[in-house]
Amino acid sequence: MVYLFQFRRYRLPFRTPVRTAHGPWGERVGLLVRLTDATGRVGYGEAAPIPWFGTETVDEVEAACRELGEKVDEARLAAVPGRLGCLRNALTAAQADIAGGGAISSAAGSQERRVKDNAPYLPVAALLPAGRAALALIGAKAEAGFRVFKWKVGVEDVADELVLLDDVCATLPNGAKLRLDANGAWDRRQAERWLERCADRPVEFVEQPIAAGARGAADVLLGLAGDFPTPLALDESLTGGEDIERWLGAGWPGVFVVKPALLGDAEAALARLAKAKAAVVFSSALETAVGAKAALQAAFVWPGEARALGFGVWPLFADARFDGPYLAPFIHWEDVARLNPEAVWNALS
Ligand code: MG
């Protein structure tokens, strides 16, 4: 099969800068790919790298796209090196898009049917800002129907945030669950203080308490996971299929936060996680609707427990044409099916 290959690079300002451990993040850069087969069928994919997450850069993606040229065959696509995981992901998604199976192909029947059997809609976690500002938002989010809340921690002093934790828990609706995301901000002792406090509170998990690159991080994370009842989740520690393989091999007992957009071969990595019966939370990489569609399709066919999606990010871009489904307590399969990669592609012309 020979395809016509095209790509468009984008630079899209966020509506409001995203707060990260590396300072404010004002705009998303990435690249959309488009494949057209000999019969005129078209497929789209998105490479949305996050270099500080360990992926390639968008410049590397673009250089590789220029090298691919206008006509590519399957062997050429398969030869894109593994270190360009985001580009490989985009090309695989575009091929699957053409094959009609969506980003994750389906040998066992149509994706539509698998979704209907599996989950016609999935819950979404509401994002709460760091610090006291979280308190003012919980009421309205609960009123809207959210029951899983994610609070950014590790931003202020530990003692101050631990006092706030009680206020946050007291403000949650009955039966709600709280996810804490430290983005690797703590050392072992600070993480222990938090985990002691979380033990008898409605905390679903604590995400990335220790930085992925900290000395001995894997041993500390495994130690903490064994010492405290609250589950831990890996996010920054997972940048590709090799990381997933390594943590499965180490017997990681907690949650895997998976950003399908950042996995070189998402289908293989998810198959490994499913086989291991791992706890998985699907999460946004702050990509456009093209990558989001592929990631959400993967979430909808996931055979394991349907945990709330980490996709409570929209509206995200200053230009709403690039956004995924509007923020709601549930994303329905129809919302995902309706996302139109061609419209996103055209919006970049
Ligand atoms: Mg996280």
Side-chain angles (χ1 to χ4, degrees):
M1 177 84 73
V2 175
Y3 300 99
L4 172 67
F5 171 65
Q6 295 162 283
F7 64 91
R8 286 181 180 167
R9 185 168 165 158
Y10 64 75
R11 172 183 292 273
L12 300 169
F14 292 127
R15 289 173 85 234
T16 49
V18 175
R19 204 163 157 175
T20 77
H22 305 267
W25 186 14
E27 57 184 21
R28 192 69 168 102
V29 292
L31 185 151
L32 300 186
V33 302
R34 176 169 131 139
L35 294 175
T36 309
D37 75 4
T39 67
R41 288 184 304 175
V42 174
Y44 295 91
E46 176 170 0
I50 307 180
W52 66 82
F53 238 89
T55 72
E56 73 269 36
T57 66
V58 70
D59 285 339
E60 290 172 309
V61 172
E62 186 178 349
C65 286
R66 291 198 184 287
E67 221 166 279
L68 278 175
E70 261 183 33
K71 293 257 165 61
V72 293
D73 58 16
E74 265 140 10
R76 191 104 171 79
L77 294 176
V80 170
R83 66 181 175 78
L84 301 174
C86 291
L87 177 58
R88 286 182 64 90
N89 188 308
L91 295 169
T92 306
Q95 286 172 280
D97 197 13
I98 287 178
I104 300 293
S105 62
S106 161
S110 79
Q111 187 178 59
E112 198 74 33
R113 192 166 69 239
R114 283 178 70 192
V115 168
K116 293 256 156 64
D117 290 349
N118 197 22
Y121 58 87
L122 292 171
V124 177
L127 288 181
L128 301 175
R132 180 161 294 277
L135 293 172
L137 267 171
I138 294 172
K141 298 269 186 200
E143 189 78 10
F146 287 96
R147 286 300 177 269
V148 178
F149 297 82
K150 176 170 160 176
W151 186 33
K152 286 268 174 203
V153 292
V155 175
E156 294 168 17
D157 180 72
V158 171
D160 293 346
E161 283 186 342
L162 282 174
V163 171
L164 267 178
L165 174 66
D166 285 330
D167 295 338
V168 167
C169 289
T171 313
L172 293 176
N174 274 341
K177 284 187 206 158
L178 184 64
R179 296 174 176 178
L180 302 175
D181 190 354
N183 292 114
W186 300 326
D187 60 23
R188 182 182 192 130
R189 183 67 205 115
Q190 290 171 319
E192 286 170 348
R193 284 178 70 192
W194 269 95
L195 289 166
E196 275 159 22
R197 198 66 80 84
C198 289
D200 49 1
R201 285 171 176 72
V203 176
E204 183 187 3
F205 56 75
V206 175
E207 197 170 313
Q208 203 71 45
I210 304 289
R215 182 195 289 263
D219 288 338
V220 176
L221 286 164
L222 284 163
L224 290 170
D227 288 347
F228 295 92
T230 304
L232 302 183
L234 302 174
D235 182 6
E236 285 87 342
S237 286
L238 307 175
T239 38
E242 307 79 55
D243 288 330
I244 286 173
E245 204 58 55
R246 188 165 45 234
W247 284 99
L248 284 173
W252 178 247
V255 176
F256 291 77
V257 176
V258 169
K259 295 173 166 65
L262 302 188
L263 295 175
D265 185 346
E267 186 163 6
L270 290 167
R272 271 296 285 134
L273 287 162
K275 188 159 172 251
K277 300 207 177 338
V280 167
V281 168
F282 287 86
S283 183
S284 165
L286 306 187
E287 61 278 85
T288 75
V290 175
K293 182 170 190 171
L296 287 166
Q297 284 172 327
F300 271 86
V301 297
W302 171 249
E305 186 190 344
R307 291 172 180 259
L309 300 167
F311 274 86
V313 296
W314 295 297
L316 177 66
F317 295 106
D319 183 338
R321 292 178 298 173
F322 298 99
D323 277 338
Y326 205 83
L327 180 60
F330 295 92
I331 292 180
H332 294 257
W333 172 246
E334 288 72 25
D335 303 328
V336 178
R338 203 181 295 130
L339 293 173
N340 183 359
E342 187 181 7
V344 178
W345 174 265
N346 289 336
L348 286 176
S349 63

